[in-house]
Amino acid sequence: MECTVGLSSAPFSPVASMDYERYDRVRAVTWNGEALDLLDQRVLPMQQARMICHDVGQVAQAIFDLVVRGAPAIGIAAAWGLVLASRQIQAKNGPEARVALADATQTLNAARPTAVNLAWALRRMNAVLANAGDDWRAILANEAAAIEREDLAANRHMGRLGAALIEPGSGVLTHCNTGSLATSGFGTALGVIRAGVAEGRVARVFAGETRPWLQGARLTVWELLQDGIPATLIADSAAAHLMSTGQVQWVIVGADRITANGDVANKIGTYALAIAARYHGVKFMVVAPSSTVDMHTATGAEIEIEQRSETELLGYGGQRTVAEGVRAWNPVFDVTPAALIDAIVTERGVVLQPNAQRMADAWSGDDA
Ligand code: MRU
C-alpha cells in the first residue's frame, strides 16, 4: 500500500475553482504597520473586540491569556511580537540584535509550551538575523510577513489535499477551533472542511463544543456561520453516540505538535475522539502545516502538556458553578498515538497511517 502520497516541495497551486474570499471572511491577527491588532477570542462570539498590542510584553500576555490562540496563530503573533521588540532595542546589525532580543524571544517562547509553532517561528525570526546588516529591522519584519503569508498558502493547499481524501456526501466531526481564527486564514482542519464543502464532498459538519474553554461552541460554529457553512454543535460527550449513528465518516482535527513517530498533541478530547472513531470505523485525519511537525521530539510522551488554571473548570463567565472546596485538574492538550490516525495532511503532502518510518521518509533531509 502507498502510505505517503503527494510529498513534494513544489510550489503550491491554488484550487482554481475555490472562491477563497467567500469561504474565509474572518481574520484574527493583523499587523497594521505600527502595532499588532488581535481579535479578542476570549469574548467571541458575543463581542467582536480588538486588542492592539504595542509591545512584546503585551503580545506574550495576549498569547498566554488566549486572546490569540491556535498553534499557527500564536507563532505568527510571536513573530510580530519580536518585530515590536526590535523597536525597543539598539543594534548595529543582525547578530547584535539577536543578542539584544534574547529576553524578548524567551518571554514569547514561555507564553505557551505545547504548540511547537511558537518556538519554530521564533527560531526562524532569529535565524534571519544571523547574516543581517544594518537593515536588520526590515529583514525581521519581512520574515514575520513571510511566515504569515506562507501559513495562508499552506492552509489553502492542505484544504485541497485533505478534501481529496473525503468521499462526496460525507459527514465530518471537528474539535476545538482550527479555522481562520487559529491561523493566518482558511484554517487547517477547518480549511479541509471549507474545501470539502465547496467541492461537495462534505455534506454535514458537526463541531464538538470543546470543554472547558468552548473553542468549538464559541469560535468554530461562529466562524463557519460567517462563511455561510451550516454546522451542528454537539456536546463533547455526544461524539461517540454521533459516530454510532453513521452520520460522520471522518473526524478532522488540527495539531499543536506532531512528533517524529506521528503522534499528535492537540486539544484535550482529541485522543478520546480518535479511540471512538477507530471503534466505529470512522476515519481520523490530522491537518497541520509543516511548522507543527517536530522531528526533534521522538514521541508524544516527551511533549510538555500545558496545564491551565482550575478556574476554567470550576465556573463559567466568572461565575462559580462547582461547590466551594472542590479541586479540578485541567490539562488542555492530549496526545493521540499515531496508530489511531489514518492521515496526517501537511502542505507537503499526505502521510497515510503515519509511523516513525513514514514520517522520516516524508521529512528526510529536513530540519523542520
Ligand atoms: O488552546 P488552543 O485554543 O490554542 O488550542 C488550539 C488547538 O488545540 C488547535 O486544534 C491547534 O492549535 C490547531 S489550530 C490550527
Side-chain angles (χ1 to χ4, degrees), residues 3-362:
C3 286
T4 306
V5 292
L7 278 165
S8 87
S9 54
F12 314 133
S13 50
V15 183
S17 58
M18 176 98 194
D19 177 355
Y20 288 117
E21 308 301 315
R22 177 178 160 207
Y23 286 101
D24 182 21
R25 294 194 175 94
V26 175
R27 284 295 173 272
V29 181
T30 314
W31 176 251
N32 69 16
E34 294 298 325
L36 188 62
D37 180 339
L38 302 173
L39 180 57
D40 189 343
Q41 300 192 32
R42 297 170 303 179
V43 295
L44 281 173
M46 296 311 174
Q47 290 174 50
Q48 291 180 43
R50 310 221 55 116
M51 175 182 281
I52 311 293
C53 298
H54 297 278
D55 64 46
V56 62
Q58 290 172 334
V59 175
Q61 193 64 45
I63 292 172
F64 178 77
D65 290 342
L66 309 185
V67 173
V68 58
R69 41 130 319 266
I74 63 180
I76 293 161
W80 287 118
L82 217 54
V83 172
L84 288 171
S86 76
R87 298 173 175 189
Q88 292 165 330
I89 59 152
Q90 295 301 322
K92 286 196 285 298
N93 53 40
E96 261 189 47
R98 202 170 155 157
V99 173
L101 287 171
D103 282 352
T105 300
Q106 172 53 28
T107 303
L108 288 163
N109 225 344
R112 292 193 76 187
T114 305
V116 75
N117 308 60
L118 182 57
W120 170 87
L122 292 168
R123 260 202 323 276
R124 189 168 150 174
M125 294 290 282
N126 274 275
V128 293
L129 290 175
N131 299 312
D134 61 2
D135 58 347
W136 64 270
R137 280 194 182 81
I139 287 176
L140 210 55
N142 285 343
E143 195 64 10
I147 288 172
E148 187 175 313
R149 202 173 49 242
E150 288 168 24
D151 185 64
L152 180 59
N155 292 339
R156 290 175 171 178
H157 190 61
M158 292 189 295
R160 188 179 62 163
L161 291 176
L165 301 173
I166 302 170
E167 288 293 318
S170 295
V172 301
L173 169 63
T174 191
H175 189 55
C176 196
N177 172 270
T178 62
S180 302
L181 289 170
T183 63
S184 68
F186 203 64
T188 58
L190 222 54
V192 168
I193 292 171
R194 283 190 162 95
V197 168
E199 294 173 15
R201 294 173 183 276
V202 173
R204 296 171 297 284
V205 181
F206 294 90
E209 60 178 349
T210 318
R211 285 281 295 152
W213 212 71
L214 300 179
Q215 285 92 334
R218 295 192 305 102
L219 307 179
T220 297
V221 288
W222 174 78
E223 186 180 325
L224 290 174
L225 195 65
Q226 306 312 301
D227 298 336
I229 298 175
T232 302
L233 182 68
I234 62 163
D236 296 325
S237 44
H241 177 63
L242 173 71
M243 292 179 204
S244 78
T245 67
Q247 294 183 81
V248 297
Q249 282 62 53
W250 281 92
V251 174
I252 310 179
V253 298
D256 284 79
R257 192 182 293 239
I258 301 173
T259 55
N261 68 340
D263 289 350
V264 169
N266 191 49
K267 180 51 55 190
I268 192 78
T270 303
Y271 179 29
L273 289 177
I275 292 170
R278 182 58 56 93
Y279 182 80
H280 290 98
V282 169
K283 300 267 192 227
F284 196 88
M285 187 191 308
V286 175
V287 189
S290 51
S291 52
T292 305
V293 176
D294 176 8
M295 293 300 282
H296 302 295
T297 300
T299 74
E302 292 163 49
I303 298 174
E304 182 183 348
I305 299 295
E306 180 181 357
Q307 304 279 334
R308 291 188 74 87
S309 166
E310 59 182 357
T311 57
E312 289 183 355
L313 279 170
L314 296 175
Y316 186 71
Q319 188 81 31
R320 186 148 179 139
T321 53
V322 175
E324 292 295 343
V326 174
R327 303 297 308 267
W329 180 56
N330 187 22
V332 299
F333 297 99
D334 58 25
V335 174
T336 300
L340 294 176
I341 297 168
D342 293 288
I344 292 179
V345 178
T346 77
E347 78 279 15
R348 299 184 185 192
V350 179
V351 180
L352 298 173
Q353 279 83 46
N355 59 25
Q357 187 58 54
R358 290 178 191 135
M359 291 297 291
D361 291 347

